[in-house]
Amino acid sequence: DTEVTQTPKHLVMGMTNKKSLKCEQHMGHRAMYWYKQKAKKPPELMFVYSYEKLSINESVPSRFSPECPNSSLLNLHLHALQPEDSALYLCASSQGPGLSHEQYFGPGTRLTVT
Amino acid sequence: AQSVTQLDSQVPVFEEAPVELRCNYSSSVSVYLFWYVQYPNQGLQLLLKYLSGSTLVKGINGFEAEFNKSQTSFHLRKPSVHISDTAEYFCAVSDRSSTLTFGKGTMLLVSP
């Protein structure tokens, strides 16, 4: 099973709302990633969790708050977002640093901030 | 630091014709190379990867790529494309940290 699942598929939220994106994998991977993708652009790395600890934060604004409750789950908590945060948010996983380099991506959550 | 250049933002091609999508990279260390495909409104799917060994790599859906260290290239090829191959294709490079650096993408447009 090489599947990464993400919920919800679509999310519309106002600038004062609080919402969360969820990502799950059952491949035993120990590295998980959040990416942001704008239309017709490549994915931009936001966060990396390695062995359930935050290892990379690509200077992401604090209105995005990641959480890794266990090795299979990754959340992205959203609060006070701006319209320019509207994008496709992709989750990915890999075996872990130095173990394997290919990342497996979920289908994404299409976020619209109104 | 590493970077990836995909020279073509869009490649139009007729069905059953061959296609090559170009990718060049720069890195100061050994790299691992990938091609991902993204169909409309979907996530990224791994097409193929080069980690080591044979420089000719075969992937899913009839795609293949050749790693050329002297030219720092990893071009993607398919001998005969289908309408269903219409998608965005991303070349990516990784070093030992396992983080990916993506190219800007090439949109493959297959028409009948």
Side-chain angles (χ1 to χ4, degrees), chain B residues 9-105:
Chain B
S9 60
Q10 194 166 294
V11 172
V13 65
F14 288 109
E15 195 174 18
E16 297 183 10
V19 70
E20 179 179 84
L21 305 184
R22 296 181 293 170
C23 173
N24 288 88
Y25 69 92
S26 66
S27 176
S28 57
V29 297
S30 296
V31 295
Y32 309 97
L33 295 156
F34 306 87
W35 276 99
Y36 284 87
V37 60
Q38 186 174 33
Y39 299 102
N41 299 312
Q42 294 189 28
L44 276 70
Q45 181 181 10
L46 181 66
L47 269 181
L48 48 79
K49 62 188 177 188
Y50 173 78
L51 303 180
S52 65
S54 173
T55 57
L56 182 62
V57 179
K58 293 189 184 299
I60 62 172
N61 302 341
F63 284 93
E64 64 179 35
E66 185 154 19
F67 170 61
N68 189 319
K69 189 174 182 179
S70 62
Q71 297 186 5
T72 59
S73 67
F74 190 56
H75 301 331
L76 181 70
R77 301 186 184 99
K78 186 169 183 178
S80 176
V81 295
H82 303 286
I83 297 284
S84 58
D85 292 323
T86 294
E88 190 83 29
Y89 291 78
F90 291 101
C91 182
V93 63
S94 172
D95 59 16
R96 293 177 184 172
S97 71
S98 301
T99 58
L100 290 174
T101 299
F102 287 94
K104 292 186 176 181

Side-chain angles (χ1 to χ4, degrees), chain A residues 3 5 8 23-24 30-31 35 38 46 52 54 59-60 64 66 69 76 85 90-91 102 108-109 111:
Chain A
E3 188 179 26
T5 59
C23 173
E24 194 165 4
R30 302 312 300 270
Y35 289 86
K38 301 286 271 186
M46 300 174 72
E52 300 156 51
L54 183 64
S59 303
V60 179
F64 294 92
L76 186 63
D85 297 322
L90 294 164
C91 174
E102 63 257 47
T109 294
L111 174 68

